[in-house]
Structures are given as structure tokens and as C-alpha cells.
């Protein structure tokens, strides 16, 4: 059960878009996000159940839908699950299972799966370490990315390997107060 069991689909999507615009794009944590956002190529899908039982099926449905669209129409999908997998370790285990299911369904080499969670924590860090915020979204979120788009973006970016280190530096400079001031958590956007 999530801390926000009464969250609506509209609120979850608004909060996620606010996070994307203010943190991911605003801090340039992902230099590839701005273009697909500006072109309206991000699809927001919502899984509103309070248990994870159908979430892998929902992810597979979204992968099939993404595969059926051209990249110019829909380049990427964010599947937001605001009412389940509140525990980060459970979410992390779930993400590993989801990656295996995507591969078994034939999507290996076609899609990558990235994950974001409000309590994301890199191995070896303390929960309050600000660098964990690079992978913190308002709600548990599974991000389907097209392998072809990722490859093109990496080729176009001079030093894609440096993004992670640069993001750590940005967040350390921003600090916990700066991150909090971005107002990118649950309920940040108007209801």
C-alpha cells in the first residue's frame, strides 16, 4: 500500500509531468528528455491498482503499444504506479522481474527499461544522500525507452558516459533544500 492511496490518475500524471519539467529537464539530468517532451512524444500511462499483480501485464501492454507506434509519434512511455510498490526494495526486485519478462516477450534489443522511485537509493548510499534524487520520481515509475532512440541520442551527445557524474555534481551543489524547493514530489502540482 502506498503513502498516497487516494491519488487520482490526473494528479499522478500532473505530478510526474511537473517532476519531468522541473527536475529531469530543468536540471538537465537527462539531456535527451527535452526534445521528446517538446515534441509531445512521451506517453504517460497509469496503473492505478493498489497491488502489483497486473503491473507486469500493463508494462507488456505498453511495450506492445509503443512498438506499434512510430518513434515520431511516441518515442517513449512512462508507466506510473502511484498506489503500489511503495517500498523501494520491493520495487527494485519488481523491476528486475519486469526486465526479464520484457526480454521473454521479445522486446530485448528493442526497448530498455529505466526505473524511478520516490525512495530510490543507490547501493552504498544513505537514504538522505541527495545524489539518490537523480532517480527519484514522485511515484514508482517504469520508463520504456526505444533502443534505437537511445543509441542515436548517445551518438549525438559528446560524452554520454559523463552524464551520471555530472548529475551527481549538480545534485550535490543543489543540496536537499534546493531539491525540496523544486517541489517535485507527490501533490506538488495543482489538484
Amino acid at each position: 500500500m502506498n503513502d498516497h492511496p487516494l491519488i487520482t490518475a490526473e494528479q499522478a500524471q500532473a505530478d510526474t509531468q511537473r517532476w519531468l519539467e522541473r527536475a529531469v529537464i530543468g536540471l538537465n539530468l537527462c539531456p535527451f528528455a527535452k526534445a521528446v517532451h517538446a515534441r509531445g512524444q512521451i506517453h504517460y500511462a497509469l496503473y492505478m491498482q493498489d497491488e502489483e499483480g497486473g503491473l507486469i501485464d500493463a508494462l507488456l501492454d505498453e511495450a506492445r503499444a509503443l512498438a506499434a507506434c512510430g518513434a515520431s509519434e511516441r518515442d517513449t512511455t512512462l508507466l506510473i504506479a502511484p498506489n503500489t510498490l511503495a517500498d523501494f526494495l520491493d520495487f527494485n526486485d519488481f523491476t528486475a522481474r519486469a526486465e526479464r519478462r520484457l526480454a521473454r516477450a521479445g522486446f530485448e534489443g528493442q526497448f530498455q527499461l529505466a526505473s524511478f522511485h520516490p525512495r530510490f537509493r543507490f547501493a552504498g548510499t544513505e537514504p538522505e544522500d541527495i545524489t539518490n534524487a537523480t532517480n527519484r520520481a514522485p511515484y514508482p515509475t517504469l520508463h520504456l525507452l526505444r533502443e534505437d532512440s537511445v543509441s542515436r541520442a548517445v551518438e549525438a551527445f559528446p560524452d554520454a558516459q559523463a552524464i551520471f557524474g555530472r548529475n551527481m555534481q549538480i545534485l550535490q551543489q543543489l543540496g536537499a533544500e534546493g531539491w525540496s524547493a523544486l517541489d517535485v514530489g507527490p501533490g506538488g502540482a495543482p489538484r
Side-chain angles (χ1 to χ4, degrees), residues 12-14 16-22 24-26 30-46 62 65-66 69-80 116 141-146 149:
Q13 183 170 335
T16 301
Q17 285 178 308
R18 182 182 186 97
W19 161 75
L20 179 77
E21 292 167 357
R22 289 184 175 200
V24 177
I25 294 171
C30 176
F32 319 121
K34 185 176 183 179
V36 293
H37 175 66
R39 291 190 298 256
Q41 296 168 317
I42 300 171
H43 175 67
Y44 296 87
L46 290 129
E62 290 302 328
L66 186 59
C69 292
S72 62
E73 178 187 344
R74 182 185 299 181
D75 195 52
T76 191
T77 295
L78 291 171
L79 177 56
I80 309 154
F116 302 91
T141 302
L142 299 166
H143 184 189
L144 283 168
L145 300 112
R146 294 176 186 269
S149 297

Side-chain angles (χ1 to χ4, degrees), residues 99 102 106 109-110 130 156 173-174 189 191:
E99 287 175 331
L102 280 169
Q110 186 175 8
I130 191 61
Q173 291 170 352
L174 186 66
R191 290 186 187 260

